[in-house]
Amino acid sequence: MWSLPASDVVLYGLSLVALTAQAMTAALAAGKRSMDWAGVCMLGCITALGGGTIRDVLLGHYPLVWVQHPSYLLLTAGAALATILIARVVHRLNTAFLVLDAIGLVVFTMAGCDVAWQIDPSLPLVIVVVAGMITGCAGGVLRDILCNDVPLLFRAELYASVSIVTGLFYSTGFGLKLNDELWTALTF
Amino acid sequence: MWSLPASDVVLYGLSLVALTAQAMTAALAAGKRSMDWAGVCMLGCITALGGGTIRDVLLGHYPLVWVQHPSYLLLTAGAALATILIARVVHRLNTAFLVLDAIGLVVFTMAGCDVAWQIDPSLPLVIVVVAGMITGCAGGVLRDILCNDVPLLFRAELYASVSIVTGLFYSTGFGLKLNDELWTALTF
Amino acid sequence: MWSLPASDVVLYGLSLVALTAQAMTAALAAGKRSMDWAGVCMLGCITALGGGTIRDVLLGHYPLVWVQHPSYLLLTAGAALATILIARVVHRLNTAFLVLDAIGLVVFTMAGCDVAWQIDPSLPLVIVVVAGMITGCAGGVLRDILCNDVPLLFRAELYASVSIVTGLFYSTGFGLKLNDELWTALTF
């Protein structure tokens, strides 16, 4: 499926950035509710890895990513803790933060489509796009449920739309067997 | 198991009605919280398909129904959107709505018992009834969690009772290998 | 793995106590929100069995415990109902209650580590500890979500810390293949 391994490496690097960014949004949300350090770590892990976990459970794709690579748990917990420590600086970096969050959403959606395709290439397009959307959005929904909010996803049209468009665009590229690297770049 | 296919067709038709009805309850709940169109679609899908999804994940029954039949996703999303458009009329149709909701609960419970039986006919009766109850009730619970309410299920005795009684009644019928069609009719 | 069966029996007995204790905490929480008897039963089952269920779903370990042993459902539902009946007495027994809850947390964490180990002895230590933590904590988190609270887990440092320390301590014991019975006793 991957004719150009470069695209794979880029996607892997981006997904580490996305994991970190999602854990940071969780830490900021947790900070507003005066959770302790353990709560921040857990909420960071759940937010960053929850989307992929729900996708894998729904598609029956075992073992889960973080069971195979426990380092992801440490990365996200570490990112969440670090965010608490530098919280004052981050508050001033709101714009950079929104950019990171958007990258996270797009990358997660692409990774979700990828995984769905690898599990079963004959899955219909709708399911691949939904798998991407779940990966991108479910982590944030879990974070909002645990923080006792109505999920942002359901109130901000932008999130879901971006995720669906990304998924459609990326999947179409795969469907047409275009040059992957070019397509990954275009999706942004 | 199905001696008379007529019962199967009736149950299938009823479950489409039930899916639509559950998606409509979700849309009405979403409307009260000023969610956007994407949120309404998603909440409709989650409410209508969530019960069956949780049942299948708990019983390890893959692939999930909506992965095999993506048209269910489109049906529920469409029903949720249509409800928003005709919301003014629906508000006056509260009685018809409660009837639809009750049909949804009963049909989902029967379908849940059915599926549990098909997975493993040796499952104990308690589990079959619980599987039916999860199918019937869990979608509404997810809807209430996402809308940040204490689930209606836990406050309204009626829901759970109806679901348990339906499950028991329907399962007993299967256990005694009675005429299915007659029994499905009787369960109402 | 179990050189001394006595430890197994002790752990089994303790886990029944833990199930009962967790169902009782759920019933007390439900009582404060004026849920009906069906809600109390369901919340009791979800709180007591939810942690193990989530662990098994995440690790792909089927069938679930309560599908194999439906008597657990009856035990927890019964415990929750009984708690409502004797609620006045229990309110005065707050200390005994906290002790039971702590036992529940420790026992569930140990049982969770155990199960993770039995599924795949080559799982890394981090995952075993996380599996124990999920078993011990997730039930209470589900209870708080359904009661529309920010989960206690994320606000009370103590819970998570106790669970992690227990898991680490217990897992290390297994890793070194020490005398199990002695180690189970030491973990308290």
Side-chain angles (χ1 to χ4, degrees), chain A residues 156-176:
Chain A
E157 208 162 308
L158 194 68
Y159 267 78
S161 316
V162 166
S163 191
I164 291 175
V165 169
T166 305
L168 271 178
F169 201 66
Y170 192 64
S171 304
T172 316
F174 266 144
L176 301 172

Side-chain angles (χ1 to χ4, degrees), chain A residues 85-98:
Chain A
L85 295 179
I86 58 165
R88 288 186 195 173
V89 183
V90 172
H91 272 306
R92 291 183 204 146
L93 295 175
N94 253 340
T95 316
F97 194 77
L98 281 178

Side-chain angles (χ1 to χ4, degrees), chain C:
Chain C
M1 185 59 99
W2 294 101
S3 51
L4 288 170
S7 164
D8 210 6
V9 171
V10 170
L11 197 57
Y12 179 74
L14 281 174
S15 71
L16 291 188
V17 173
L19 280 175
T20 311
Q22 294 252 341
M24 288 166 82
T25 64
L28 287 186
K32 283 184 199 148
R33 275 156 196 84
S34 66
M35 292 183 182
D36 57 43
W37 66 268
V40 168
C41 282
M42 280 184 284
L43 199 64
C45 289
I46 293 172
T47 306
L49 299 167
T53 300
I54 291 181
R55 178 203 59 214
D56 287 347
V57 167
L58 291 181
L59 294 176
H61 178 232
Y62 291 101
L64 302 180
V65 174
W66 54 266
V67 173
Q68 273 187 307
H69 306 287
S71 54
Y72 284 178
L73 286 175
L74 302 180
L75 171 70
T76 50
L81 275 188
T83 307
I84 294 291
L85 296 178
I86 58 165
R88 287 187 193 173
V89 182
V90 172
H91 272 304
R92 290 183 204 148
L93 294 175
N94 253 340
T95 316
F97 195 76
L98 282 178
V99 172
L100 278 177
D101 195 33
I103 291 180
L105 182 61
V106 172
V107 172
F108 273 18
T109 304
M110 290 197 296
C113 293
D114 247 32
V115 171
W117 225 298
Q118 279 164 21
I119 294 174
D120 181 357
S122 69
L123 281 176
L125 183 63
V126 180
I127 297 302
V128 172
V129 173
V130 168
M133 218 178 81
I134 292 173
T135 315
C137 300
V141 172
L142 284 178
R143 180 193 60 210
D144 293 342
I145 291 176
L146 290 173
C147 288
N148 207 13
D149 280 335
V150 173
L152 185 60
L153 175 65
F154 295 150
R155 288 171 298 158
E157 208 163 308
L158 194 68
Y159 267 79
S161 316
V162 166
S163 191
I164 292 176
V165 169
T166 305
L168 272 178
F169 201 68
Y170 192 63
S171 303
T172 317
F174 266 144
L176 301 173
K177 306 211 175 192
L178 288 178
N179 179 316
D180 283 341
E181 197 184 0
L182 176 68
W183 205 253
T184 305
L186 267 179
T187 311
F188 278 102

Side-chain angles (χ1 to χ4, degrees), chain B residues 3 9 16 46 93 103 111 117 123 143 176 182:
Chain B
S3 50
V9 172
L16 291 188
I46 293 172
L93 294 175
I103 291 180
W117 225 297
L123 281 177
R143 179 193 61 211
L176 301 172
L182 176 68

